[in-house]
Amino acid sequence: MEIQSDQNSAALQLEEKWLKRCSILRMPQIEQRGSTHSAEGYLKVSKTNIVIMIKSYKGLKMKNYLIIGISGFTNSGKSTIATMLSKEICNLDVMNQDLYFLEPDDPAIERDIHGIRNFEKLSALDMERMVQDVKLWIKSKTCNSDSLFILLIEGFLIFNHKELSDLIDHKYFIKITKEICFERRIKRQYIPPDPDGYFDSYVWPWTITNLMAIQDCTDIEFIDGTADLQALYKSILTRIMKIVFIHREKYF
């Protein structure tokens, strides 16, 4: 009986000790996630083991969406990978920057003395409309829901536009060689079609210029895109599933 009494006393002391630690270590974590909260939980005490389980957070501010950006050189596989990911991951929407190009005759698109239009700059895109569409998507998904929604934005200049880039949670940039870029470029049909010499005069020089503008950004992960497309896809899928898991652990 004395042994049992001593064990109960030790357990109570251990419980009191860990309750104090809980109030110091656990509750601040809750307060960081929301301005108002209440927590229901239980403390399971054994002789040497404490298990703290939080059953629910009431009034907790949860972010139930993620925005992921995949950028890279032209013809680096961005659109193909985005399509593959949309078939693999639930609740994932894709937004393509190519859909925001201005009409070819729009005066905002810069032209050289020969009338050749430069589609490799932000001025050739309606970025204001794209940003508004992203904000509308966020508004539509911000609700009290147990589901996690993902917006995958892909495009060659999505990180060069600050307002858009600031909305993106995780950023990946695919790099390929000039030779691979050219080989893939000439196999595609563009509207309007590339004029003779457009790749060497505009595509590649502006690819490097646009890269230099963001290459020192620490929140962008640069990925070698010269590998097999399937291997590249699996690599990016693994990265996304990891951040989805971390996000769920944090907010759900």
Side-chain angles (χ1 to χ4, degrees):
M1 294 295 293
E2 291 181 0
I3 295 176
Q4 183 66 39
S5 177
D6 290 341
Q7 289 178 344
N8 290 338
S9 177
L12 288 173
Q13 291 177 4
L14 192 59
E15 178 180 4
E16 182 179 359
K17 173 183 176 181
W18 278 87
L19 279 171
K20 289 180 180 179
R21 290 192 63 182
C22 179
S23 65
I24 296 172
L25 299 178
R26 299 287 178 170
M27 298 310 290
Q29 294 178 6
I30 298 172
E31 291 174 351
Q32 289 173 2
R33 300 179 192 171
S35 57
T36 59
H37 69 273
S38 63
E40 296 177 358
Y42 68 87
L43 187 66
K44 182 180 179 181
V45 183
S46 64
K47 297 177 184 177
T48 58
N49 184 39
I50 300 292
V51 179
I52 299 173
M53 296 185 65
I54 301 299
K55 293 168 61 179
S56 66
Y57 296 124
K58 294 181 179 179
L60 186 65
K61 291 182 178 179
M62 295 195 304
K63 182 181 178 183
N64 66 324
Y65 68 87
L66 276 173
I67 300 181
I68 298 171
I70 298 181
S71 187
F73 293 174
T74 180
N75 299 286
S76 59
K78 304 180 298 296
S79 300
T80 302
I81 290 174
T83 300
M84 295 168 73
L85 290 170
S86 68
K87 297 177 180 178
E88 184 74 22
I89 303 174
C90 297
N91 294 333
L92 184 143
D93 298 318
V94 177
M95 183 177 293
N96 305 95
Q97 190 177 38
D98 283 357
L99 298 178
Y100 294 87
F101 271 110
L102 299 173
E103 292 297 325
D105 59 350
D106 194 300
I109 300 177
E110 296 182 13
R111 291 170 170 79
D112 65 13
I113 58 175
H114 303 292
I116 297 177
R117 291 159 291 201
N118 185 355
F119 291 99
E120 314 309 312
K121 300 179 66 175
L122 282 170
S123 56
L125 294 150
D126 189 348
M127 294 306 300
E128 182 178 350
R129 181 166 64 90
M130 188 174 188
V131 169
Q132 289 303 313
D133 284 350
V134 173
K135 291 180 178 180
L136 286 173
W137 182 91
I138 293 173
K139 186 177 180 180
S140 71
K141 303 303 180 185
T142 305
C143 59
N144 294 322
S145 172
D146 292 333
S147 298
L148 175 63
F149 301 97
I150 302 173
L151 177 62
L152 177 59
I153 304 175
E154 72 87 11
F156 73 123
L157 288 177
I158 59 175
F159 303 148
N160 293 79
H161 189 273
K162 187 179 186 308
E163 187 176 2
L164 176 61
S165 183
D166 287 345
L167 295 172
I168 301 174
D169 299 301
H170 300 275
K171 306 170 186 179
Y172 304 103
F173 189 98
I174 304 171
K175 298 171 67 175
I176 55 177
T177 65
K178 180 180 180 180
E179 291 72 26
I180 292 176
C181 186
F182 178 73
E183 289 174 4
R184 294 178 180 177
R185 179 92 182 185
I186 60 177
K187 294 177 181 178
R188 293 182 60 180
Q189 298 294 323
Y190 290 90
I191 301 176
D194 287 348
D196 291 341
Y198 185 76
F199 181 86
D200 288 324
S201 298
Y202 286 94
V203 175
W204 192 252
W206 277 101
T207 292
I208 301 304
T209 298
N210 293 328
L211 172 63
M212 291 177 63
I214 62 170
Q215 64 181 358
D216 293 329
C217 295
T218 57
D219 60 341
I220 300 175
E221 181 177 353
F222 294 91
I223 301 174
D224 181 4
T226 59
D228 174 75
L229 183 62
Q230 189 65 27
L232 180 61
Y233 160 70
K234 290 182 179 179
S235 174
I236 294 177
L237 175 62
T238 300
R239 287 172 167 85
I240 292 177
M241 295 311 295
K242 181 179 179 180
I243 63 175
V244 167
F245 175 80
I246 293 173
H247 188 87
R248 285 188 177 278
E249 285 289 296
K250 182 177 181 180
Y251 290 103
F252 288 82

